[in-house]
Structure formats: structure tokens, C-alpha cells
Amino acid sequence: MKKTVLSALLLSATTIAGAQKPIAILKQGHFSVGGTTLQRPGTYDNSKFVGWAEQEETGQSYRADHAFVDYQIPVDSKPLPLVYVHGYGGSGVCWQMTPDGRDGFSTLMLRRNTF
């Protein structure tokens, strides 16, 4: 009996997930904004890296003060955008999908026509 109920639930979930209407996207893309390349004086020596908390920055360069923007504009979009900002140390991919492959918030909002 438990096996039958579990099979029915899985079949229902698969049917519901498969029955979602397609999302009509008018335009999508990505671009970078701003950014500064900072270069520390000296010559970089990888053997002097002592850890993330106390790293030796001599000769290293890194980019700061920039943003990477990924956008989707649905057909029949609303006049104002919905902007997602990820948390510190994360990336915008967290809005696209969940770790187990389900739709993320950006896709869910597109399906609900909240844009």
C-alpha cells in the first residue's frame, strides 16, 4: 500500500511539473558594469600565500567595484524591473535554480508574470 501511494504521489508531481506552460522570453542577456583592477606593488610569489585570513598581497591584482548583470525580459512585461541581489560570497546563480535542480525564484516569478 505504501508503495502504491508513493508511486501515485511521484506520478502526480511529475505530471504537475511537466504541465507547466512555457515561459515566453522577449529578450535575455548579460553584461558587466563598472569595475576597478587593483594591482599591489612588487612581484607575486605564490609560495608566500599563508592563508585567506593573512595572505601576502605583494604583486597580486584583483577586480573590485563591479557587477555582473543577467536579465530576462518576458513577453508582456511590466514597466518596472524586479531586481534580485544575492548575499555576500554568493552569486546570482542562486536565483536561477536550486541545488537539486528545481526552478529558482527568477524562473518562478517569470512563470507567475510578476515582472
Side-chain angles (χ1 to χ4, degrees):
M1 179 65 175
K2 287 182 182 178
K3 202 176 221 181
T4 305
V5 171
L6 180 59
S7 296
L9 288 172
L10 288 174
L11 182 60
S12 297
T14 304
T15 304
I16 291 168
Q20 293 178 345
K21 66 177 185 173
I23 300 171
I25 303 293
L26 179 66
K27 187 176 179 183
Q28 67 181 9
H30 57 267
F31 57 91
S32 295
V33 179
T36 304
T37 300
L38 303 174
Q39 179 70 46
R40 299 290 182 186
T43 303
Y44 176 70
D45 182 355
N46 195 45
S47 66
K48 293 184 178 177
F49 183 80
V50 294
W52 293 111
E54 298 179 31
Q55 62 187 350
E56 173 64 43
E57 295 184 344
T58 301
Q60 293 181 344
S61 65
Y62 57 95
R63 292 212 29 102
D65 305 325
H66 66 280
F68 178 80
V69 179
D70 188 22
Y71 67 91
Q72 293 180 309
I73 302 172
V75 174
D76 299 326
S77 63
K78 300 209 164 81
L80 297 175
L82 181 58
V83 178
Y84 294 102
V85 179
H86 64 81
Y88 177 78
S91 76
V93 174
C94 67
W95 301 114
Q96 296 172 355
M97 63 185 280
T98 62
D100 61 0
R102 292 175 291 133
D103 287 345
F105 282 113
S106 62
T107 304
L108 293 172
M109 295 300 117
L110 281 169
R111 284 199 193 286
R112 293 181 182 156
N113 198 24
T114 56
F115 286 92

